Structure formats: structure tokens, C-alpha cells
């Protein structure tokens, strides 16, 4: 669907800001459903969920959502790194999440994408996140016939067969998550087994779950929750009631001590990041710096990478988290409505000092040569990436070879220094989905440079789609005659991994 950024408000409150891929935001039907579902999600208010703080106004592109940020690992990350939970911790997790589902049901909401990645193991309790998002994208009442709703490995049978899924589907997925917590795998995969999607969906619909390794105390309840018939499953309230006994000690007393320590470490790291990113105090008589536009998604409909076989845990690989050594955050426009002037910020690994501001002490960026693009950068650079011929062609374009040419001239920070031309053709139609952008130098620091696309239009003059402005590109010259795009920039899947100098 998009990307998630660590952000902060002007007062220093940490937020998770989720941006939607631009091509989805430009779909009128999707935009209306996303707007409706965000307001539905805002109705879910309980101790086990994160609150919606703010969201994009109707018609905005790209669309975004800001929620509370929890500095904690997901269940998926924790089990992959540390192994399954002990019986007491798994039972407590089941009680906490089923109690959360009682509140979700009371609000009239169905999650429909409960999975290890959407369960955060906080210091005081677990949290269930990402309400309504999967439902918005893949609701069978609004999308194409034959679309699978949810995450493979944790789907209910009615989701796997593209039927409308109700609250009972959440109970099934909760049980699948508890199997994962206890064993490190989906209930429909053996240890270290890999299956393609059709085979996995067939097992969910027709085969009995694999429950070897599930703790004896949980086994009968989990088996009932994994019934193929939704009518045969207990409700979330029934699950919570059956797991309520023996929960007097609390979450912190039953989870691994390493988890409590990890949550504390993340909280301390978050405080440091928020302190380091705090904007300087405004002095009367001075002018506030002009906010910088949010880095937008890629200038072309971003193709989806080829889907690999699903690993034994039934999840899909998640995007890497922002590097923790960020020294500064890109400041953005204020977001209004519910939170007042929320300052959205995308955390990046490169310490980005915005043009005209320099470092915190007012000095020019180190190695900037008075903010000019070094002569070694000037010239024409080109590269070709594989594109994404294996994309689904629905939420991501299926494309062939992805060619990029960047021409750089001399210039100082804040000046136009060149342009970028991308050529990438859609397999089905042959249309060129590339964009041509004028590049402004935003920063030069050592062997890193940041460029902003201040103008953008389709490379094909006959094309009718719009190219977004404001994309940021971070390039590194690790060796002579070779530029490497960094993940912090607005790079597209299937694009070149490097650009080399043309003679």
C-alpha cells in the first residue's frame, strides 16, 4: 500500500505516518474508501490499540494517516530473532488480543488482517495495529472478483475463498497468530516449509491446521478457533473469558525479560531521536523557515517486486525500518484537523541539513565546498534496472526494463543543477510510465548529495497521467564514475541499482 515513517509533532510527540502509494490515492474509488475506513478506524479506542491522531483531508494525494507510535518490536520480528514464546506469555498474549477484539467488535469494526507484523509487543501490553487498511484495499464488495483479502498464512477460509469476512475471521486469524507465537510458523505450514500462494490457500480451505508444538493449555481453544465454519468458532468474548484465569501477574511478569529490556532500549532511543530532531526555538523578530514538502512516492506507478514463496511463518518480508542513527528529520507541511498543526517528518539515515540552514551551529555542511556540486559529479549518468515484470498489474504496474539517465551540471545548493529522465514501459500496453524531472541541489555532504524534483512531467509527451513534484533523491558517489541511489530517497522498485558515467 505505501510506506511508514517515524514522525514527530512540533511538541515532540512521536507518531507513525503512513503514506499511500500515489497511484492508489489517485483512484477515486480507493480514495473514498480509504477516507471512510480511516474514520471507521478512529472509532476503535481501547488500551490495546493505537489512536488515530490525524489524516489527510479528502482529495489529498498522496493520502496519509498519522497514529500513535509504539517503540516496540512486532511479534513477527521478535519470534524470528528470539524464538517462540513460553506457555504463560503465549496465553497472556491470547487474552490481551482477544480482549482487544471485544472492543473492536463493539465499535463495529472488523480488522481482517491480524498477523504477527500487526501485533506490537509493548512494555506494558501488546498492541493491535493497522485497523481497516487491508479491508479498504481489498474489500470484495468493492474490488475485483477473485481478490484475496488479508495476509497469506493467517487468513480465515472465508477470506481465502474471497467471501465477505466478519468478526469470526478475526478470531481465526488470532488463533493462527497464537500458533505462530508458540511455534514460530503458520498453522498451515511445516517448519522451514515454503509454498506458493495457491497451495497455501488450498490448505487453509481444505486441510486441518498443524498444531504440533502448541502449548497444551492453549491447544483445545486454538483448535476451536481454527474451525473452517465461522459459525463453529467461539466469539472474541468467549476466547477472552476462557483465557482469563491465571492472568493476575500481568504482562510484564510473564513475557521474557529480554523483551522488557528491548522495549526500554527502544523507548530510550526514541527519546534521543525526538530530542535531536527538535526544531530550534522561535525568537521574536525572526522568520520561521519555510516547511519542506514531504518526500512523495515514486514519480511512476511503483511496480511491486516479485512475490517469493511464503516462508514458514506465513508472513511476507517487511520493509527495513529507518536507520536509528538519523541526526535530523525532514520537516514537512503542517497537518490540520484533529491534531492541530502536526509536523510530519520522514526519518532518514542521512543527516539532512536543509538549504540555507546549515548545521545546528549555523555552519555550512561539512565538505560542501560552500554548497556547490563538486566537478566530479558533473556529466551524464545512466543505468538500467529490471523493472517489475512479475507485478500483479493491479495495485502495481507490470513493467519491463527501467532506464534512468541523470545529467548534472555545476551549481550551488538551492540552484537547478540538472535533470533526471526515466523510461519504463508497461508490459500490457507499451505505455511509457516514466517522468522527466528538473533537479535542484538540496544538500552536498561528503560523498552524498540530495536532489529535489522541482518540476516533473511525463517523459512521453502524449501521456495523460500526472507526475508528482517534490521527490527527493539521495545519491552516493562511493567510487569514481559510479553513483548509487540510497533507500532514503524516492527510489522505485525495479529501478537501476547504480548509475555509471557515460563517456
Amino acid at each position: 500500500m505505501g510506506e511508514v515513517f517515524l514522525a514527530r509533532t512540533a511538541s515532540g510527540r512521536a507518531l507513525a505516518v503512513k503514506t499511500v502509494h500515489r497511484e492508489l490515492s489517485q483512484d477515486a474509488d480507493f480514495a473514498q474508501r480509504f477516507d471512510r475506513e480511516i474514520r471507521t478506524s478512529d472509532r476503535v479506542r481501547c488500551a490495546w490499540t493505537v489512536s488515530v491522531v490525524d489524516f489527510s483531508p479528502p482529495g489529498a494525494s498522496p493520502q496519509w494517516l498519522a497514529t500513535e507510535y509504539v517503540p516496540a518490536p512486532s511479534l513477527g520480528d521478535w519470534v524470528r530473532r528470539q524464538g517462540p514464546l513460553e506457555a504463560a506469555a503465549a496465553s497472556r498474549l491470547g487474552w490481551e488480543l482477544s480482549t482487544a477484539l471485544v472492543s473492536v467488535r463493539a465499535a463495529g469494526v472488523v480488522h481482517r488482517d491480524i498477523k504477527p507484523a500487526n501485533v506490537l509487543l509493548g512494555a506494558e501490553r501488546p498492541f493491535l495495529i493497522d485497523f481497516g487498511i487491508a479491508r479498504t484495499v481489498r474489500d470484495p464488495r468493492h474490488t475485483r472478483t477473485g481478490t484475496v483479502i488479508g495476509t497469506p498464512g493467517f487468513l480465515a477460509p472465508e477470506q481465502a475463498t474471497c467471501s465477505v469476512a466478519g468478526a469470526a475471521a478475526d478470531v481465526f486469524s488470532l488463533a493462527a497468530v497464537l500458533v505462530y507465537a508458540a511455534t514460530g510458523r503458520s498453522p498451515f505450514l511445516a517448519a522451514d516449509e515454503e509454498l506458493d500462494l495457491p497451495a497455501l490457500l488450498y490448505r487453509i480451505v481444505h486441510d486441518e491446521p498443524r498444531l504440533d508444538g502448541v502449548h497444551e493449555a492453549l491447544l483445545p481453544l486454538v483448535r476451536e478457533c481454527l474451525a473452517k465454519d465461522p459459525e463453529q468458532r467461539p466469539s472474541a468474548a468467549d476466547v477472552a473469558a476462557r483465557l482469563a484465569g491465571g492472568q493476575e501477574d500481568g504482562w510484564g511478569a510473564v513475557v521474557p525479560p529480554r523483551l522488557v529490556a528491548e522495549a526500554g532500549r527502544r523507548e530510550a532511543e526514541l527519546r534521543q531521536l525526538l530530542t535531536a530532531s527538535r526544531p530550534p526555538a522561535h525568537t521574536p523578530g525572526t522568520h520561521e523557515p519555510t516547511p519542506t514538502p514531504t518526500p512523495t512516492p515514486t514519480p511512476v506507478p511503483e511496480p511491486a517486486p516479485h512475490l517469493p514463496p511464503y516462508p514458514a511463518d506465513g508472513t511476507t518480508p517487511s520493509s527495513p525500518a529507518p536507520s536509528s542513527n538519523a541526526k535530523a528529520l525532514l520537516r514537512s507541511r503542517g497537518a490540520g484537523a484533529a491534531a492541530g498543526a502536526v509536523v510530519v517528518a520522514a526519518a532518514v539515515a542521512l543527516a539532512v541539513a536543509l538549504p540555507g540552514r546549515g548545521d545546528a551551529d549555523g555552519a555550512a555542511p561539512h565538505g560542501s565546498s560552500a554548497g556547490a556540486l563538486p566537478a566530479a559529479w558533473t556529466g551524464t549518468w545512466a543505468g538500467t534496472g529490471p523493472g517489475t515484470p512479475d507485478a500483479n498489474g493491479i495495485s502495481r504496474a507490470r513493467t519491463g526494463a527501467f532506464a534512468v539517465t541523470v545529467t548534472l551540471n555545476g551549481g550551488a545548493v538551492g540552484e537547478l543543477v540538472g535533470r533526471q529522465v526515466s523510461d519504463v514501459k508497461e508490459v500490457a500496453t507499451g505505455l511509457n510510465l516514466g517522468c522527466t524531472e528538473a533537479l535542484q541541489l538540496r544538500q552536498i555532504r561528503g560523498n552524498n548529495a540530495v536532489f529535489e524534483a522541482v518540476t516533473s512531467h511525463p517523459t512521453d509527451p502524449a501521456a495523460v497521467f500526472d507526475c508528482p513534484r517534490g521527490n527527493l533523491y539521495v545519491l552516493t558517489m562511493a567510487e569514481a564514475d559510479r553513483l548509487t541511489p540510497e533507500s532514503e530517497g524516492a527510489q522505485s522498485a525495479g529501478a537501476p541499482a547504480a548509475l555509471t558515467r557515460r563517456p
Side-chain angles (χ1 to χ4, degrees), residues 35-281:
D35 187 62
R36 182 181 67 247
E37 289 294 340
I38 294 307
R39 284 158 178 77
T40 300
S41 303
D42 196 29
R43 292 158 48 189
V44 181
R45 300 275 179 167
C46 70
W48 297 272
T49 62
V50 294
S51 298
V52 174
V53 176
D54 206 352
F55 44 85
S56 54
S61 180
Q63 292 173 288
W64 54 267
L65 166 69
T67 68
E68 293 176 290
Y69 177 80
V70 178
S74 72
L75 175 65
D77 288 340
W78 181 261
V79 171
R80 277 192 292 269
R81 289 188 290 110
Q82 303 291 339
L85 299 180
E86 297 293 335
S91 177
R92 180 74 189 199
L93 177 67
W95 179 81
E96 300 265 6
L97 294 181
S98 58
T99 304
L101 285 182
V102 172
S103 297
V104 172
R105 178 59 177 165
V109 177
V110 179
H111 192 292
R112 305 213 306 184
D113 196 22
I114 298 175
K115 58 185 178 181
N118 282 344
V119 176
L120 302 183
L121 303 180
E124 297 180 356
R125 66 182 64 86
F127 290 85
L128 190 57
I129 63 173
D130 280 354
F131 282 85
I133 304 303
R135 174 179 179 175
T136 302
V137 179
R138 306 183 180 94
D139 193 326
R141 293 167 294 182
H142 299 285
T143 57
R144 297 170 176 82
T145 300
T147 300
V148 176
I149 314 155
T151 298
F154 302 94
L155 295 167
E158 57 268 33
Q159 292 174 286
T161 57
C162 308
S163 301
V164 176
D170 282 352
V171 172
F172 187 100
S173 297
L174 169 60
V177 165
L178 292 181
V179 173
Y180 176 83
T183 66
R185 57 171 175 77
S186 158
F188 297 97
L189 288 171
D192 301 320
E193 183 181 23
E194 294 183 352
L195 284 180
D196 58 18
L197 181 58
L200 182 55
L201 295 182
Y202 181 90
R203 281 191 183 175
I204 292 171
V205 175
H206 298 287
D207 292 356
E208 291 303 312
R210 303 174 183 228
L211 301 181
D212 50 300
V214 176
H215 311 302
E216 196 66 31
L218 280 175
L219 191 57
L221 179 58
V222 165
R223 183 176 285 113
E224 291 179 38
C225 293
L226 293 175
K228 304 297 185 187
D229 183 356
E231 298 296 328
Q232 300 301 315
R233 299 171 203 154
S235 67
D238 292 335
V239 175
R242 291 173 61 175
L243 291 175
Q247 305 295 348
E248 296 81 5
D249 292 336
W251 173 254
V254 297
V255 298
R258 297 188 306 276
L259 177 57
V260 177
E262 172 69 7
R265 184 192 66 79
R266 292 185 181 223
E267 288 177 356
E269 186 178 67
L270 176 63
R271 286 194 296 270
Q272 292 176 351
L273 280 172
L274 295 178
T275 300
S277 67
R278 183 177 295 124

